[in-house]
Amino acid sequence: QTGEFLAIAHFPQFNPNNFQNYNNTLFRNRAVTDAFEPGSAMKVFTAAAALENGFGPKSIFFCENGTYKIGAFTVRDTHPYDWLSINHIIKFSSNIGVTKIGEKIGDKTLHKYLTAFGFGNKTHIEFPGETTGKLLPYQKWSKVDASAISFGQGVSVSAIQLISGISAIANKGVLMKPLLIKKIISNYGKDLEVYHPEKIRQVISSKSARQVKNMMRLVVEDKGTGKKAAMIGYTVCGKTGTAQKALKDKKGYSQDNYTSIFAGFAPENNPELAILVAVDE
């Protein structure tokens, strides 16, 4: 509810008291400075856009039994599905299902909601070198781009952006400004500057937020893609993401190298804490 950061951690680590013994690439706060393709974690925002535009959690889409061609491009699911509701598209993380959702709501609407959640812009966290990530104007999207962006490829985000967007879903649809510095105190103990929680905007209705939250709870239940994140004593909501990494020296994506993430929050009914873990290969 506040946007306050409790911890940001990286590995490999370095010792700031002995920094000359480490490669300076380790000095960056990569949660702020580095952009990556989020993969399927983006699907919750596509679903949120659909819920705001006439669809419900039980609206169904035909998932083409695992293979869907868009021109020369083929969208695939890890398991073949026929008809799935939006609830189950998120639970089972169907690329084809979320592509169909994106086609129904349209490029302009999808772009509007991704932007409203904070993607493509700095969060203005109190830390230097923040990346904006990359979200092209929808007028420049091809049909393939629109499909890929709906499931988190062809768009890049920072960890700060992504967990802020996820937190807006936890926070009844309200996006908060990330708060890294709570106060600045003089050496005499006097408060020089005090920072307070700052609401950015109401991105989606509290009803839509509650419905997406329920989808994210299904993700960590039996047969969901994030079932290992379930906890005894807390109802966890979350979303997995696995994105192929773009090749460095040529077009296309690597078949072997991935960024894998999990973003979630707990408990479901009155979330207190949101956590994002990103593993680069």
Side-chain angles (χ1 to χ4, degrees), residues 61-113:
F61 294 82
F62 184 57
C63 296
E64 304 287 343
N65 294 304
T67 305
Y68 182 45
K69 287 191 75 69
I70 301 174
F73 183 71
T74 303
V75 181
R76 290 186 172 85
D77 281 337
T78 52
H79 301 285
Y81 303 108
D82 45 24
W83 291 94
L84 289 179
S85 66
I86 297 181
N87 275 341
H88 287 105
I89 286 169
I90 299 303
K91 176 174 181 173
F92 300 135
S93 204
S94 167
N95 291 336
I96 296 170
V98 88
T99 293
K100 294 288 189 80
I101 294 171
E103 288 175 348
K104 283 290 186 183
I105 63 175
D107 299 356
K108 184 177 181 180
T109 297
L110 180 58
H111 185 275
K112 170 187 170 183
Y113 281 92

Side-chain angles (χ1 to χ4, degrees), residues 12-27:
Q13 300 169 322
F14 75 98
N15 182 350
N17 297 309
N18 194 18
F19 63 88
Q20 65 271 17
N21 290 347
Y22 296 84
N23 188 309
N24 62 10
T25 58
L26 299 181
F27 299 174

Side-chain angles (χ1 to χ4, degrees), residues 213-259:
K213 196 191 295 188
N214 180 63
M215 294 174 194
M216 294 174 71
R217 176 176 52 78
L218 296 175
V219 168
V220 300
E221 291 184 349
D222 186 41
K223 297 183 181 178
T225 58
K227 60 186 179 183
K228 289 184 179 180
M231 295 174 65
I232 296 172
Y234 289 94
T235 309
V236 177
C237 302
K239 185 68 189 80
T240 53
T242 305
Q244 291 173 290
K245 293 181 70 173
L247 294 168
K248 288 182 179 178
D249 302 319
K250 51 188 174 182
K251 290 183 178 181
Y253 287 90
S254 169
Q255 297 301 310
D256 307 306
N257 299 316
Y258 298 87
T259 302

Side-chain angles (χ1 to χ4, degrees), residues 29-281:
N29 183 347
R30 293 189 293 278
V32 176
T33 63
D34 290 18
F36 57 92
E37 296 193 2
S40 293
M42 216 62 176
K43 290 173 182 171
V44 296
F45 305 111
T46 305
L51 295 175
E52 289 286 289
N53 286 273
F55 293 92
K58 295 183 179 179
S59 298
I60 60 171
F61 294 82
F62 184 57
C63 296
E64 304 287 343
N65 294 304
T67 305
Y68 182 45
K69 287 191 75 69
I70 301 174
F73 183 71
T74 303
V75 181
R76 290 186 172 85
D77 281 337
T78 52
H79 301 285
Y81 303 108
D82 45 24
W83 291 94
L84 289 179
S85 66
I86 297 181
N87 275 341
H88 287 105
I89 286 169
I90 299 303
K91 176 174 181 173
F92 300 135
S93 204
S94 167
N95 291 336
I96 296 170
V98 88
T99 293
K100 294 288 189 80
I101 294 171
E103 288 175 348
K104 283 290 186 183
I105 63 175
D107 299 356
K108 184 177 181 180
T109 297
L110 180 58
H111 185 275
K112 170 187 170 183
Y113 281 92
L114 294 183
T115 302
F117 273 109
F119 301 113
N121 294 290
K122 292 182 179 181
T123 66
H124 300 293
I125 192 170
E126 305 93 342
F127 198 93
E130 182 181 10
T131 181
T132 61
K134 188 174 183 180
L135 176 62
L136 288 173
Y138 71 90
Q139 296 91 337
K140 295 186 177 180
W141 294 1
S142 67
K143 285 194 74 173
V144 172
D145 289 333
S147 170
I149 288 167
S150 70
F151 57 79
Q153 299 257 195
V155 56
S156 67
V157 305
S158 69
I160 295 294
Q161 284 176 336
L162 186 54
I163 199 60
S164 293
I166 291 290
S167 295
I169 292 169
N171 192 32
K172 299 179 180 178
V174 177
L175 181 69
M176 302 297 293
K177 181 182 176 183
L179 185 59
L180 190 62
I181 301 168
K182 204 163 188 178
K183 61 170 66 176
I184 298 171
I185 306 172
S186 75
N187 54 351
Y188 300 107
K190 181 182 177 182
D191 289 352
L192 299 178
E193 288 190 62
V194 179
Y195 298 88
H196 300 284
E198 185 178 332
K199 175 182 173 179
I200 303 297
R201 69 182 70 89
Q202 182 87 36
V203 185
I204 55 175
S205 69
S206 59
K207 178 184 177 182
S208 294
R210 186 176 70 250
Q211 290 171 334
V212 177
K213 196 191 295 188
N214 180 63
M215 294 174 194
M216 294 174 71
R217 176 176 52 78
L218 296 175
V219 168
V220 300
E221 291 184 349
D222 186 41
K223 297 183 181 178
T225 58
K227 60 186 179 183
K228 289 184 179 180
M231 295 174 65
I232 296 172
Y234 289 94
T235 309
V236 177
C237 302
K239 185 68 189 80
T240 53
T242 305
Q244 291 173 290
K245 293 181 70 173
L247 294 168
K248 288 182 179 178
D249 302 319
K250 51 188 174 182
K251 290 183 178 181
Y253 287 90
S254 169
Q255 297 301 310
D256 307 306
N257 299 316
Y258 298 87
T259 302
S260 293
I261 68 167
F262 181 84
F265 50 84
E268 179 188 8
N269 290 334
N270 187 27
E272 293 288 337
L273 189 66
I275 300 176
L276 169 68
V277 179
V279 180
D280 186 349
E281 299 185 29

